[in-house]
Amino acid sequence: MRAIRPGQIAVFLGLLALILVLAIGTTALVFGSLPLGDFRGVTLFLLALLLIYLYAFLVYRCFLLALPLREGEVPEHSRHELVANVNILFYLLLFNSLIRTHFIPVPIQRLIYLALGAKLGANTYSAGALLDPPLTRIGSNTIIGHDAVIFAHVIEGARLELKAVHIGNTVTIGAKAVVMAGVQIGDNAIVSTGAVVIKDTRIAAGEIWGGIPARRIRAAP
């Protein structure tokens, strides 16, 4: 894994400082003068924490709007690397605590993934972790099982590559399954519990896959 460079860290810290200024300033201006009772300090702290995450979503999406994450190999010392590593820092220091917790209800998790840029169809929910929401595209009526993991990055030594994951409609991803970068899964397919779907795998509509690494168990009817 290649090191995150000081300049990339500085960009992230600048964005983080902006988030904190906006959150603390909003808390002070909007809520600072309200009569909040004996628990005023705790209430203001919780409001500020909520606003930190709301502003983090906003600043993160604005950053990706200006400098989008692009698929493909990430050259060293490139703008693509800057975007990829700032994205990684957002997840390591801010968003990982949201997407890897079991305390946030699944319907709220859906809203978080949408806020982070995932494309999720109607009635699609994840009880697992989508580690690269901007590069995750899932259709309607699909369920991601408990503790399943879907990611769209490849890290092989110093090599870094981004490949979107495409999952169709009415797909079932079993609990604790792993779906790697570049995978495409057709409509009505099933990935069994604990399966590991290696990168760039193509699963056709209606197929059932399972195992480590995942193999086709049953063809489409």
Side-chain angles (χ1 to χ4, degrees):
M1 178 177 175
R2 69 181 68 163
I4 299 176
R5 305 180 191 284
Q8 297 159 359
I9 296 172
V11 170
F12 170 75
L13 290 178
L15 295 173
L16 180 60
L18 174 61
I19 291 165
L20 293 175
V21 167
L22 290 171
I24 295 171
T26 302
T27 303
L29 289 173
V30 177
F31 304 106
S33 60
L34 295 179
L36 300 175
D38 295 337
F39 296 99
R40 174 183 178 81
V42 174
T43 303
L44 289 175
F45 172 79
L46 293 176
L47 287 169
L49 184 62
L50 175 62
L51 286 169
I52 285 171
Y53 277 102
L54 293 177
Y55 278 120
F57 293 148
L58 177 62
V59 170
Y60 173 72
R61 292 300 298 275
C62 289
F63 173 75
L64 291 186
L65 184 64
L67 297 169
L69 272 177
R70 302 192 184 280
E71 294 186 66
E73 190 160 352
V74 180
E76 293 191 60
H77 307 288
S78 66
R79 186 172 73 167
H80 194 183
E81 183 187 62
L82 166 68
V83 177
N85 282 345
V86 170
N87 176 71
I88 288 171
L89 288 169
F90 265 104
Y91 279 88
L92 289 177
L93 298 178
L94 286 174
F95 301 143
N96 192 57
S97 59
L98 296 179
I99 66 178
R100 299 304 294 268
T101 180
H102 297 302
F103 295 104
I104 298 176
V106 170
I108 304 300
Q109 285 279 21
R110 171 185 166 85
L111 297 179
I112 290 172
Y113 287 129
L114 289 171
L116 293 175
K119 293 180 173 61
L120 306 177
N123 197 41
T124 286
Y125 296 94
S126 174
L130 311 182
L131 299 186
D132 299 288
L135 296 173
T136 302
R137 292 98 190 232
I138 305 177
S140 302
N141 303 307
T142 289
I143 184 69
I144 312 299
H146 186 75
D147 282 341
V149 178
I150 297 173
F151 57 89
H153 59 269
V154 178
I155 299 175
E156 297 170 335
R159 180 174 174 271
L160 174 61
E161 186 176 8
L162 303 177
K163 295 183 177 184
V165 175
H166 297 264
I167 299 174
N169 302 310
T170 321
V171 173
T172 300
I173 307 295
K176 299 184 183 299
V178 176
V179 177
M180 296 186 181
V183 169
Q184 296 185 18
I185 302 176
D187 297 345
N188 302 299
I190 296 173
V191 175
S192 299
T193 298
V196 177
V197 184
I198 62 174
K199 65 179 182 177
D200 298 323
T201 297
R202 303 292 185 266
I203 297 178
E207 292 183 343
I208 298 176
W209 284 55
I212 304 175
R215 296 285 186 268
R216 188 175 67 185
I217 296 173
R218 192 184 76 186

